[in-house]
Amino acid sequence: MHDSTLDLNATPAPLSGLRVLDLATLFAGPLAATMLGDFGAEVIKVEHPRKPDPSRGHGPSKDGVGLWWKLLGRNKRTMALDLSRPGGRTTLLRLAATADVIIENFRPGTLEKWGLGWSDLSATNPRLVLARVTGFGQYGPYARRPGFGTLAEAMSGFAAITGEPDSPPTLPPFGLADSIAGLTTAYAVMTALMARERTGEGQVVDMAIIEPILTVLGPQPLWYDQLGHVQPRTGNRTQNNAPRNTYRTADGRWVAVSTSAQSVAERVMRLVGRPELTTEPWFTTGAGRARHADVLDSAVQAWVSRHTREEVIAAFEKAEAAVAPVHDVRDVMRDPQYEALGTLTTVDDPELGPLRMQNVLFRLSSTPGAIRWAGRPHGADTESVLTELGLTDRDLAALRAEGAL
C-alpha cells in the first residue's frame, strides 16, 4: 500500500462495477461516496452548475484550488446538473436507471418537490439504493431544520462531556459527527446492497447525522436508564481508569498514557518509581484508580518531566506500558508507524502536482483499494458522462439553453 496505484489493472477492485451518484454536498454524504470510490465503485459527483459543492472552498487553498476537495473528491468523476430544471430531472432519471446507489443530503421533501423522490427513482430503477443523509432524519419534529455536524456534536451529548470540568462544553475543531455519519453511511449502503442480492430490490437508507455519534459515545443512555448516571466533563481523565492523561516531557513535548488494563497500570507505576501505590486497595480496579487520579497523575508527571519525549517512549516501550506521542500533523507526516502502514500516500494531480494525503481507509489482502485521482474540477466530466448515457450534441445544447448544465 505504499503505492496507491498498485494492482489497479492486475486485480479488480472489490466494488468495481458498482455505480454511485453522489448528489450530496459538504461532508457526510460525499465522504460515504469517497469510501465506495476508494474500493473501485464508479462515483459520479453531480453538482449544481452555478453552486458547486461548498467543500471546494472550505479551508486552505493553493493557486485558487481548494485542498479539502482534493481529498473528498478523489476517485469521483464530476458533472454539473441542475436537478430543479425539467431537463435536469429527466437527465438524472436516466442516470438513475444506470446506477446502483444514489447518495443525497437535501432537506427532506426537496427531491420530492423536483419529482425525484423515492417513488420516482425506484420506478425508474427498482434495484436502486437511495441513501438519504440529513441532520435529523427524514421524519420527526426536527426533520426540516437545517442540520450540520456541529449540531449533532452538541445534541448527542459529545460536547457536554468534552472539556475541563470547570470549562464550557467543547466542540471539535473538525467534522467529527459528519465523518462518523459518512463512514456509517458507506456501511449502510453496503448492507442494503447485500440485502439486494437476496431480494433483487433496492431500498432507502435513512441516515440522521445525530445518530451514529450517539452510538460512538458508548453506553451513556444505558447508564442513565439503569442508574440515573450522567457522565460529567473530566478533561483528559476518565472515570474508568487512571493514570490516563497527557504529560509534558523535559523537552517541552507531550505524551499520552493509557492504563485501561490493570497490568499496564502496574507497569507504569513501577516505571515511574512509585511501586508502593500498586499495593493500595483502591489500585485494584480502574474506577478505584480513577478516584485517586490526582495522586497517580502527579507521580507520572513528576517522572515524565525529567525525561525527553524520546526517552519516555523508549522507557515505556521497554516496560511494555502504553504510551504515544501527542502528534501534530508535522509529526504524523513522518511517523515511522504510519510510514510502515502506508497510511499516507502521494497522488499525482494535473492541477497541483504531487499531493500527499490519507490513503484508503483499510487494507485488503487480495482486492485492495486505491486512489486513482484526486478531486477533479467542477463539471470536468459532464459531457463524457452524458455522452456515454446516449445524449447527443443537440441534447446537450438543449440542456445548456435551459440552464440545466
Side-chain angles (χ1 to χ4, degrees):
M1 237 174 77
H2 297 279
D3 183 347
S4 65
T5 63
L6 283 178
D7 297 325
L8 266 184
N9 298 316
T11 306
L15 300 184
S16 60
L18 194 72
R19 175 173 262 205
V20 179
L21 304 182
D22 176 8
L23 313 186
T25 56
L26 291 174
F27 306 115
L31 178 61
T34 303
M35 296 299 102
L36 300 175
D38 281 355
F39 286 90
E42 179 196 6
V43 180
I44 300 173
K45 174 75 175 180
V46 181
E47 299 173 82
H48 193 282
R50 292 161 293 281
K51 293 178 287 185
D53 189 329
S55 67
R56 290 180 178 274
H58 265 59
S61 62
K62 181 181 178 183
D63 299 335
V65 178
L67 295 175
W68 203 329
W69 169 251
K70 287 296 178 184
L71 177 68
L72 191 63
R74 71 190 192 191
N75 291 336
K76 299 180 184 182
R77 301 170 75 189
T78 62
M79 64 169 291
L81 189 65
D82 186 344
L83 306 183
S84 69
R85 307 288 177 114
R89 174 186 182 272
T90 302
T91 304
L92 195 281
L93 287 174
R94 290 184 66 170
L95 280 167
T98 71
D100 298 283
V101 179
I102 291 179
I103 301 174
E104 63 96 4
N105 71 335
F106 296 104
R107 208 174 297 190
T110 302
L111 282 186
E112 286 74 9
K113 179 178 67 176
W114 295 335
L116 291 169
W118 174 240
S119 59
D120 305 285
L121 293 168
S122 60
T124 300
N125 181 357
R127 290 176 55 80
L128 186 69
V129 170
L130 174 63
R132 316 196 76 168
V133 186
T134 57
F136 303 105
Q138 292 296 309
Y139 52 88
Y142 305 164
R144 293 185 178 272
R145 291 182 182 178
F148 298 99
T150 297
L151 308 186
E153 289 145 11
M155 187 173 163
S156 63
F158 172 85
I161 64 169
T162 305
E164 295 298 327
D166 55 352
S167 298
T170 300
L171 296 166
F174 67 101
L176 176 63
D178 272 310
S179 298
I180 295 171
L183 299 177
T184 308
T185 300
Y187 161 62
V189 165
M190 297 309 300
T191 302
L193 289 171
M194 186 64 184
R196 189 181 74 174
E197 291 299 303
R198 294 198 310 272
T199 67
E201 296 181 353
Q203 60 183 299
V204 176
V205 172
D206 179 5
M207 178 60 63
I209 296 173
I210 60 172
E211 291 184 301
I213 187 172
L214 184 59
T215 295
V216 169
L217 285 171
Q220 288 190 41
L222 185 59
W223 287 341
Y224 181 73
D225 174 65
Q226 295 297 302
L227 302 172
H229 175 72
V230 178
Q231 184 175 343
R233 284 192 294 284
T234 54
N236 288 333
R237 291 178 174 177
T238 170
Q239 295 180 311
N240 302 318
N241 63 77
R244 190 263 196 182
N245 214 324
T246 57
Y247 306 93
R248 192 169 188 176
T249 62
D251 52 348
R253 313 294 290 276
W254 292 85
V255 296
V257 172
S258 175
T259 56
S260 295
Q262 178 72 21
S263 58
V264 173
E266 293 170 2
R267 291 175 200 151
V268 168
M269 301 322 297
R270 288 195 292 268
L271 172 63
V272 302
R274 297 296 302 276
E276 75 281 2
L277 292 175
T278 66
T279 64
E280 295 286 349
W282 49 261
F283 197 89
T284 58
T285 67
R289 297 197 308 275
R291 287 191 293 271
H292 293 79
D294 285 344
V295 173
L296 298 174
D297 273 345
S298 177
V300 175
Q301 181 59 73
W303 183 87
V304 168
S305 65
R306 298 195 299 270
H307 302 273
T308 66
R309 187 171 76 170
E310 185 176 342
E311 291 168 345
V312 170
I313 292 173
F316 268 72
E317 187 171 351
K318 183 178 180 181
E320 297 184 359
V323 69
V326 177
H327 278 345
D328 64 20
V329 68
R330 294 168 295 188
D331 301 311
V332 169
M333 299 292 271
R334 56 178 177 256
D335 185 280
Q337 183 61 31
Y338 283 133
E339 183 178 355
L341 294 174
T343 306
L344 296 163
T345 191
T346 300
V347 181
D348 289 324
D349 181 67
E351 289 185 285
L352 298 178
L355 303 173
R356 289 189 73 196
M357 64 174 67
Q358 298 96 319
N359 211 330
V360 299
L361 193 59
F362 48 86
R363 288 164 293 282
L364 295 179
S365 61
S366 298
T367 56
I371 304 169
R372 290 158 284 166
W373 60 81
R376 288 171 56 71
H378 179 228
D381 304 293
T382 301
E383 290 194 13
S384 63
V385 169
L386 296 183
T387 300
E388 292 166 12
L389 197 61
L391 273 68
T392 65
D393 289 343
R394 179 176 293 181
D395 295 328
L396 297 178
L399 288 171
R400 287 194 190 93
E402 184 191 1
L405 294 187

